[in-house]
Amino acid sequence: GQQLNQSPQSMFIQEGEDVSMNCTSSSIFNTWLWYKQDPGEGPVLLIALYKAGELTSNGRLTAQFGITRKDSFLNISASIPSDVGIYFCAGPPLNAGGTSYGKLTFGQGTILTVHP
Amino acid sequence: EAQVTQNPRYLITVTGKKLTVTCSQNMNHEYMSWYRQDPGLGLRQIYYSMNVEVTDKGDVPEGYKVSRKEKRNFPLILESPSPNQTSLYFCASSSLPTAEAFFGQGTRLTVV
């Protein structure tokens, strides 16, 4: 199936630093979703993006839907210890006809560690 | 409280012994899906269901079955588990595939 490549695979940062991560695909997506998974929990939606070029914020988090529709970025400003977790991008792959057919593909995840 | 409930949370079983992991949601969502999570591979979709009696394969369906006889329940069935199915499994539901998905707490399965 289609793959989403997340970068970096892991990050170790100091509290207060800003964080950037991205997600790329070889094919276009119509929707980009960013999830966070806390240790021992299921993923929780952070931000959803539905339009190319869209820039959306959720508190200290900002995500952008790339103009090419093949990538998306997530930024976290002024990180705090509770930002620790795994961040996933996700999206529905399009079939040959250009419509989403119900599948949802996730990236491999970016593991974030924040040192106090 | 809106939630997705999976059972059991932990399961150790032997190769070949059929098992079922249950999933139930109370949000009247039409879309439900199952994922497995393995280190370095992220979440991979096993099966999904767009509505009652409508199911389809995800990216890694081999060795799994599902059923959707009623809207709230979406059990995952392993007819003959093998060690390569040792993984962390998540069930999720949403109103649409691209809408916010609510995940269960996960089921950690070990097949020996």
Side-chain angles (χ1 to χ4, degrees):
Chain A
Q2 297 181 12
Q3 292 186 321
L4 293 178
N5 297 307
Q6 282 189 249
S7 175
Q9 291 188 358
S10 62
M11 304 181 75
F12 298 83
I13 62 170
Q14 291 292 130
E15 183 177 359
E17 289 182 5
D18 296 343
V19 173
S20 290
M21 60 188 79
N22 65 45
C23 188
T24 60
S25 171
S26 57
S27 54
I28 63 172
F29 277 69
N30 279 340
T31 300
W32 287 96
L33 308 166
W34 283 94
Y35 283 86
K36 182 196 176 198
Q37 183 180 29
D38 289 329
E41 303 287 331
V44 173
L45 183 70
L46 298 173
I47 294 178
L49 302 162
Y50 297 108
K51 204 160 95 170
E54 182 180 352
L55 184 73
T56 298
S57 294
N58 178 6
R60 293 177 296 106
L61 277 61
T62 302
Q64 182 160 25
F65 192 140
I67 291 290
T68 65
R69 295 167 65 192
K70 293 184 178 181
D71 56 12
S72 180
F73 306 87
L74 176 70
N75 296 315
I76 305 173
S77 63
S79 59
I80 59 178
S82 63
D83 290 334
V84 163
I86 306 176
Y87 291 79
F88 293 103
C89 62
L94 302 181
N95 60 16
T99 56
S100 174
Y101 48 87
K103 284 189 180 181
L104 195 61
T105 299
F106 279 75
Q108 311 97 312
T110 293
I111 302 171
L112 179 64
T113 304
V114 180
H115 294 289
Chain B
E1 181 191 352
Q3 60 185 7
V4 176
T5 304
Q6 290 179 231
N7 278 297
R9 291 289 309 278
Y10 302 91
L11 180 60
I12 301 174
T13 190
V14 296
T15 298
K17 186 177 180 184
K18 180 179 178 180
L19 67 92
T20 299
V21 184
T22 64
C23 175
S24 180
Q25 52 99 359
N26 64 359
M27 294 164 279
N28 203 36
H29 285 157
E30 293 186 344
Y31 183 81
M32 297 185 74
S33 55
W34 275 101
Y35 301 87
R36 60 178 291 174
Q37 183 176 12
D38 302 290
L41 297 177
L43 290 153
R44 293 181 293 167
Q45 194 175 42
I46 303 170
Y47 268 95
Y48 62 94
S49 170
M50 299 289 274
N51 213 327
V52 175
E53 302 291 1
V54 180
T55 63
D56 212 341
K57 296 177 181 178
D59 290 323
V60 288
E62 294 76 23
Y64 304 95
K65 281 174 56 176
V66 293
S67 70
R68 188 93 181 271
K69 293 187 170 60
E70 39 186 353
K71 203 174 201 180
R72 63 183 293 125
N73 296 323
F74 190 44
L76 179 70
I77 303 153
L78 284 73
E79 295 269 3
S80 182
S82 62
N84 64 13
Q85 292 179 298
T86 292
S87 187
L88 178 59
Y89 291 86
F90 285 101
C91 177
S93 78
S94 57
S95 54
L96 297 168
T98 55
E100 179 178 10
F102 293 84
F103 283 79
Q105 291 282 82
T107 295
R108 186 164 291 282
L109 172 66
T110 301
V111 184
V112 298

